[in-house]
């Protein structure tokens, strides 16, 4: 979601650089909880709709939906409209300080990550996609260090590594058979996931630059990135002719339209929480939230429906909770130490 160098070691917006008062601490915790729950609920349904649309079969001919760029194009338009309405109805007019070129750069990486991720579902199943995207905090952190000149304490690296490793162990299912058609180590779908992860990291660097140097608001960030993304994608789907093919497909199978509309609306609402998290807590915290919500979604379904959990999955569960606990305990303290340098 979202997305170029930072001058200072760990610059923050003025509201974050100051020492938090005792009164502000509970409000920050409530805001973080709101962001987590908003992302969790919206993207739980978003994931279901994404797999339904991209892996479903339509009509007597059992046609597949192969219009990933058009799907993201509609999604970006709805996101932009949604954020514009929020700004008009709930926010006071303010001066836009963020350069347009930075929005454009961020939207290109953000857009590439989404298109690559959606396209990967044509070659890999949804659990594989989720497993690959669960590694998102790693490129966000690595590229933040390499390009953003950021510094993280050793405990932060360990927390992120524990969370990512835990999600990977929980979702890993060894192949039961050999010589199957899907038995491969690395294919085009996995390459698309790798590209998506790299672009996610670049998006995080750009967003960090915005919040640190221009104090960009969450809805302004969401609006401008989606406007630029809509512009780039609109040119792409028109030049390639995919837009007309997508419209013909929707005309042949009108039942897909309400799924795409719901998909876009859940994306818009979820993105508002994503950008709120980025602005107040940073891209790394945002990537940790989006990673752990995938874990809790699967864990919840396992517990609710009584599916058995293997010893490997219990180990992964322990790693995730250990990583989250350590990050909650040491994350704030290490952040203060860095901002004093």
């Amino acid at each position: 979601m979202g997305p170029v160098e930072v001058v200072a070691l760990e610059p923050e917006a003025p509201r974050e650089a100051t020492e938090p008062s005792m009164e502000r601490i509970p409000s920050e915790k409530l805001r973080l909880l709101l962001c987590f729950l908003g992302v969790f609920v919206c993207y739980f349904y978003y994931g279901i709709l994404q797999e339904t649309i991209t892996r479903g079969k339509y009509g007597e001919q059992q046609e597949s939906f192969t219009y990933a760029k058009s799907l993201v194009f509609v999604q970006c338009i709805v996101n932009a409209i949604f954020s514009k309405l929020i700004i008009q109805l709930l926010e006071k007019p303010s001066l836009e300080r963020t350069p347009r070129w930075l929005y454009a750069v961020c939207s290109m990486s953000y857009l590439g990550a989404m298109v690559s991720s959606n396209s990967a579902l044509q070659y890999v199943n949804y659990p594989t996609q989720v497993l690959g995207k669960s590694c998102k905090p790693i490129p966000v952190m690595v590229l933040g260090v390499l390009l953003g000149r950021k510094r993280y304490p050793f405990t932060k690296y360990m927390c992120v590594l524990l969370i990512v490793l835990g999600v990977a162990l929980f979702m890993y299912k060894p192949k039961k058979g050999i010589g199957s058609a899907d038995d491969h180590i690395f294919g085009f779908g996995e390459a698309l996931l790798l590209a998506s992860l790299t672009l996610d990291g670049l998006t995080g660097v750009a967003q960090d630059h915005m919040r640190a140097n221009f104090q960009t608001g969450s809805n302004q960030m969401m609006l401008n990135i989606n406007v630029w993304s809509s512009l780039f994608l609109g040119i792409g789907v028109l030049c390639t002719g995919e837009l007309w093919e997508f419209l013909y497909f929707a005309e042949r199978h009108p039942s897909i339209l309400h799924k795409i509309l719901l998909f876009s609306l859940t994306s818009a609402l979820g993105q508002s929480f994503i950008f709120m998290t980025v602005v107040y807590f940073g891209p790394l915290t945002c990537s940790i939230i989006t990673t752990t919500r995938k874990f809790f979604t699967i864990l919840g379904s396992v517990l609710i429906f009584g599916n058995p959990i293997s010893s490997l999955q219990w180990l992964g569960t322990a790693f995730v909770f250990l990583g989250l606990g350590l990050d909650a305990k040491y994350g704030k303290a290490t952040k203060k130490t860095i901002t004093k340098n």
Side-chain angles (χ1 to χ4, degrees):
M1 299 117 179
V4 168
E5 65 274 13
V6 180
V7 178
L9 293 180
E10 183 72 10
E12 301 290 341
R15 60 172 173 271
E16 295 183 3
T18 57
E19 295 291 331
S21 63
M22 294 301 293
E23 292 78 8
R24 286 186 57 201
I25 293 175
S27 65
E28 287 189 0
K29 290 183 178 179
L30 287 175
R31 183 184 286 124
L32 183 61
L33 178 62
L34 174 64
C35 290
F36 176 81
L37 292 176
V39 171
F40 182 90
V41 173
C42 294
Y43 280 99
F44 176 81
Y45 193 35
Y46 173 92
I48 295 174
L49 289 169
Q50 184 183 45
E51 186 171 17
T52 301
I53 293 170
T54 57
R55 296 186 66 85
K57 301 296 181 182
Y58 302 89
E60 296 180 357
Q61 303 296 325
Q62 293 292 287
E63 293 184 75
S64 298
F65 185 89
T66 59
Y67 311 104
K69 290 189 292 293
S70 297
L71 179 63
V72 178
F73 178 53
V74 175
Q75 181 182 346
C76 289
I77 291 176
V78 174
N79 289 341
I81 294 173
F82 183 85
S83 56
K84 182 65 175 178
L85 288 174
I86 292 179
I87 293 172
Q88 294 283 14
L89 297 176
L90 302 178
E91 293 187 0
K92 296 179 180 179
S94 59
L95 180 64
E96 177 60 67
R97 300 176 59 228
T98 309
R100 293 183 179 180
W101 67 264
L102 188 55
Y103 284 129
V105 170
C106 187
S107 70
M108 285 189 284
S109 59
Y110 157 83
L111 192 56
M114 280 202 301
V115 173
S116 299
S117 179
N118 287 339
S119 299
L121 281 174
Q122 299 175 28
Y123 304 95
V124 299
N125 55 27
Y126 188 69
T128 300
Q129 189 223 36
V130 174
L131 178 59
K133 295 291 283 185
S134 68
C135 299
K136 180 179 177 180
I138 294 178
V140 171
M141 179 175 279
V142 170
L143 291 177
V145 171
L146 296 178
L147 299 181
R149 310 291 185 185
K150 303 192 73 171
R151 290 183 179 179
Y152 298 101
F154 180 75
T155 52
K156 194 73 173 179
Y157 288 102
M158 291 298 99
C159 292
V160 170
L161 181 61
L162 282 172
I163 293 170
V164 171
L165 181 60
V167 174
L169 287 175
F170 188 86
M171 299 189 60
Y172 175 71
K173 290 181 175 62
K175 295 179 182 296
K176 296 182 179 179
I178 57 174
S180 64
D182 294 329
D183 188 16
H184 65 280
I185 297 176
F186 192 88
F188 188 60
E190 288 80 3
L192 288 171
L193 288 177
L194 182 60
S196 179
L197 285 173
T198 304
L199 291 168
D200 275 331
L202 293 173
T203 301
V205 172
Q207 287 179 330
D208 234 352
H209 186 70
M210 290 182 196
R211 64 188 283 269
N213 293 277
F214 304 104
Q215 292 79 53
T216 310
S218 59
N219 292 313
Q220 283 291 343
M221 189 183 295
M222 179 177 173
L223 171 63
N224 286 279
I225 289 177
N226 278 285
V227 166
W228 278 99
S229 299
S230 300
L231 176 62
F232 292 143
L233 264 180
I235 295 173
V237 295
L238 281 173
C239 293
T240 60
E242 181 181 311
L243 179 61
W244 313 119
E245 295 177 7
F246 165 72
L247 293 175
Y248 292 147
F249 184 91
E251 184 179 2
R252 293 195 303 272
H253 310 291
S255 62
I256 199 176
L257 292 176
H258 81 277
K259 297 177 184 177
I260 293 177
L261 178 61
L262 286 175
F263 173 80
S264 301
L265 288 175
T266 54
S267 168
L269 187 57
Q271 256 199 22
S272 66
F273 288 108
I274 289 285
F275 282 101
M276 186 187 301
T277 307
V278 169
V279 166
Y280 285 104
F281 303 102
L284 182 59
T285 298
C286 182
S287 66
I288 291 174
I289 288 177
T290 56
T291 297
T292 52
R293 71 90 185 166
K294 297 167 187 172
F295 164 79
F296 281 113
T297 298
I298 297 172
L299 179 62
S301 68
V302 168
L303 296 177
I304 291 172
F305 296 105
N307 296 318
I309 299 181
S310 67
S311 57
L312 193 65
Q313 288 176 313
W314 279 120
L315 179 62
T317 301
F319 280 167
V320 170
F321 280 109
L322 179 60
L324 290 173
L326 291 175
D327 186 62
K329 182 175 179 61
Y330 298 108
K332 280 292 180 182
T334 53
K335 186 174 182 180
K336 291 177 189 177
T337 302
I338 293 171
T339 54
K340 288 179 182 179
N341 288 341

